[in-house]
Amino acid sequence: MVPRPLQPRAPAAARSSGLPGVLGPPPPAPTPPGLSPLLLAPPPLLLLLLLLLLMNTPAAPCPFQCYCLGSPETIRCRHIVLQELPRDLPTDAHNLSIVGSNLTVLRAAAFAGEELPTAPGNGSGDGGGWAVRLANLTSLLLNQDNIQVVENGAFWGLPRLATLDLSYNPLSALGSAAFHLLPALSVLKLNAATSGLGEQLDAALRGLATLRHLELKANELTHLPPSALKLTQLEQLDAQDNALTGLALVELRALGGETQGTPTAPTAPGPIVLRLCLANNPLRCDCGARALLTLLNKALWRVPDARSLRCAAPPALQGAPFLVLDESKLSCALGPQEKEEENEKGQGRGKEEEEAAGNEEEGTEGRDEKGQPGTGEELEASYVFFGIVLALIGVVFLMVLYLNRRGIKRWTRNLREACRDQMEGYHYRYEQDADPRRSGTASSSGTL
């Protein structure tokens, strides 16, 4: 008998599955070293974990004694005693409001971070500077904070600041570069804050190329800041509740789209669409107001509150609406505009007038030496002569009275006696008419 060859035995796993010669499922692959099991989770689970991590990230804290609206992006510190600006402001703050504090002085780079030995973009002369801490701040409101001094560069480090409000602060010193280094500044409010700082205000407003809205209410302004009229992007200037009696030629030209140039420079373009608010100003309605009235009749939109303008002088027009005035009835000797026109005309022929005046003065001096007095001397001589004549007339009158003193005395005595006789006659007639006996006799004779 030939022996049969032996068949190879299947593995235990194959015998258990009942499938001869078929292997079972492969064993799981080992986890690579250094990877967390969470990273090997399915994509939906991984996204959920990332979202939970973001929601649990702690936000920047709100400053002490201040409160945040919704998020630290809007911070309000109202009526709390602050001697200096909070140093724990969140870096992602967008709106900051500090009202009713006692800040007193805003020093240079008051809103910047720590001082650095070198800071690109901030030149301080020696390469030093400050770190930008509030790069996202767009609105800053500092009202009623008793701010008295604003130094140059006080708002450095706020590259996105668009609205700045310093109203109702008793400013006594305003740096000429206080608002510089604010490339995005478009709204500036200085209501009731710059009284008596005319020149400092004009210097501080110089060069604000991006400014579009300027508020200067209740600052006792007698004229508009010249620098403000040269801002080409300025769209609205609010000058209500000031001491403006009218607008000068330069101010009217700025409303018309151009400003007056200097004798050595051409006329510079001014604000193209400037609107000026003038309500509650003591306007003087005389011939100096003709130019403003003409401008309002042509472009009423230049003064949005023109219908509320009222006259403060002269007394005959006090309280009268400005727009209903008749230009032909506005008269005076020389108004502010007319005086400026005369001055401008005189500048063109100044040298000629000086030469002519010098020639006339020389001729007058020559006549005086020859005995012919000038106009002033003639008037003085005529007044002296008139006084001498009046004195002579008075002396003659007194002499006549003295020489006729006896006749005057006799005439006075005769007049007095005549008056007495006349009065005695009237008295006698009254007594006769009042005697009852005469009245009884007259009645009895009438009866018979």
Side-chain angles (χ1 to χ4, degrees):
M1 174 181 289
V2 177
R4 299 177 61 181
L6 296 177
Q7 299 293 333
R9 295 189 64 180
R15 292 197 303 269
S16 64
S17 64
L19 297 176
V22 179
L23 299 178
T31 303
L35 292 180
S36 173
L38 292 177
L39 297 179
L40 300 177
L45 182 59
L46 182 61
L47 293 177
L48 181 60
L49 293 176
L50 291 176
L51 181 60
L52 292 176
L53 290 176
L54 292 176
M55 293 179 63
N56 292 330
T57 301
C62 196
F64 179 67
Q65 293 184 334
C66 301
Y67 59 93
C68 301
L69 300 179
S71 66
E73 294 181 357
T74 301
I75 305 171
R76 291 187 178 180
C77 309
R78 293 182 175 270
H79 304 289
I80 59 177
V81 181
L82 290 178
Q83 301 295 334
E84 59 181 8
L85 294 171
R87 306 302 301 178
D88 54 347
L89 294 173
T91 57
D92 58 345
H94 288 184
N95 304 306
L96 175 60
S97 174
I98 302 177
V99 178
S101 296
N102 188 27
L103 301 180
T104 310
V105 179
L106 291 182
R107 303 194 180 278
F111 296 88
E114 297 180 357
E115 188 172 0
L116 303 176
T118 58
N122 177 34
S124 60
D126 55 354
W130 298 268
V132 177
R133 185 163 56 98
L134 302 173
N136 297 320
L137 191 67
T138 59
S139 176
L140 177 60
L141 188 145
L142 303 174
N143 285 356
Q144 302 176 9
D145 289 326
N146 194 30
I147 299 175
Q148 302 177 19
V149 178
V150 179
E151 297 183 354
N152 292 333
F155 304 99
W156 187 93
L158 305 176
R160 297 184 181 179
L161 185 65
T163 302
L164 176 59
D165 191 349
L166 293 175
S167 300
Y168 308 105
N169 286 292
L171 295 180
S172 59
L174 183 62
S176 58
F179 307 124
H180 288 189
L181 302 175
L182 294 175
L185 184 63
S186 60
V187 178
L188 179 59
K189 299 180 181 181
L190 297 172
N191 302 321
T194 60
S195 299
L197 300 180
E199 296 182 357
Q200 297 183 36
L201 175 63
D202 182 60
L205 295 177
R206 190 175 295 118
L208 302 182
T210 60
L211 193 64
R212 295 180 178 274
H213 184 94
L214 177 61
E215 291 188 9
L216 299 174
K217 298 179 183 177
N219 283 309
E220 301 179 359
L221 297 177
T222 57
H223 62 277
L224 300 178
S227 296
L229 303 177
K230 298 178 182 179
L231 302 177
T232 57
Q233 299 298 323
L234 189 64
E235 297 179 358
Q236 183 163 347
L237 174 58
D238 196 338
Q240 302 182 50
D241 301 302
N242 281 288
L244 299 172
T245 59
L247 296 182
L249 286 179
V250 175
E251 299 164 349
L252 290 171
R253 288 171 181 170
L255 285 178
E258 62 176 11
T259 56
Q260 183 183 12
T262 60
T264 59
T267 301
I272 300 176
V273 291
L274 177 62
R275 296 186 298 272
L276 178 63
C277 296
L278 289 172
N280 301 325
N281 278 284
L283 298 179
R284 183 172 183 82
C285 299
D286 52 13
C287 61
R290 293 176 184 172
L292 177 59
L293 187 59
T294 302
L295 177 64
L296 293 181
N297 292 332
K298 294 181 179 180
L300 186 61
W301 62 271
R302 290 286 190 179
V303 182
D305 56 356
R307 301 188 185 279
S308 62
L309 300 182
R310 296 292 184 271
C311 297
L317 296 175
Q318 187 174 7
F322 188 80
L323 288 179
V324 302
L325 298 177
D326 187 358
E327 295 184 26
S328 60
K329 296 182 180 180
L330 298 178
S331 60
C332 61
L334 278 179
Q337 281 77 13
E338 295 180 0
K339 290 181 179 179
E340 291 191 10
E341 290 178 357
E342 292 294 332
N343 294 334
E344 291 180 0
K345 293 179 181 178
Q347 290 178 358
R349 56 174 186 274
K351 294 183 179 180
E352 297 179 359
E353 291 181 353
E354 291 179 0
E355 294 177 358
N359 296 334
E360 293 179 359
E361 185 177 356
E362 292 177 359
T364 304
E365 291 177 356
R367 289 193 298 270
D368 291 340
E369 292 176 358
K370 295 178 181 179
Q372 297 181 359
T375 304
E377 295 181 357
E378 291 178 356
L379 291 175
E380 184 178 356
S382 61
Y383 289 149
V384 172
F385 180 75
F386 182 69
I388 294 175
V389 170
L390 290 180
L392 290 176
I393 293 175
V395 171
V396 171
F397 180 73
L398 291 177
M399 290 183 64
V400 170
L401 291 178
Y402 178 76
L403 294 175
N404 294 326
R405 62 186 184 280
R406 294 181 180 178
I408 293 173
K409 184 176 181 180
R410 184 170 54 254
W411 177 80
T412 303
R413 185 171 58 252
N414 294 338
L415 180 61
R416 184 174 64 252
E417 291 177 355
C419 292
R420 185 173 60 249
D421 294 344
Q422 189 71 15
M423 294 300 297
E424 288 178 354
Y426 282 130
H427 183 68
Y428 176 76
R429 292 178 184 177
Y430 175 76
E431 289 179 350
Q432 292 296 327
D433 294 339
D435 191 354
R437 293 175 297 176
R438 290 183 58 84
S439 60
T441 303
S443 61
S444 60
S445 59
T447 304
L448 294 176

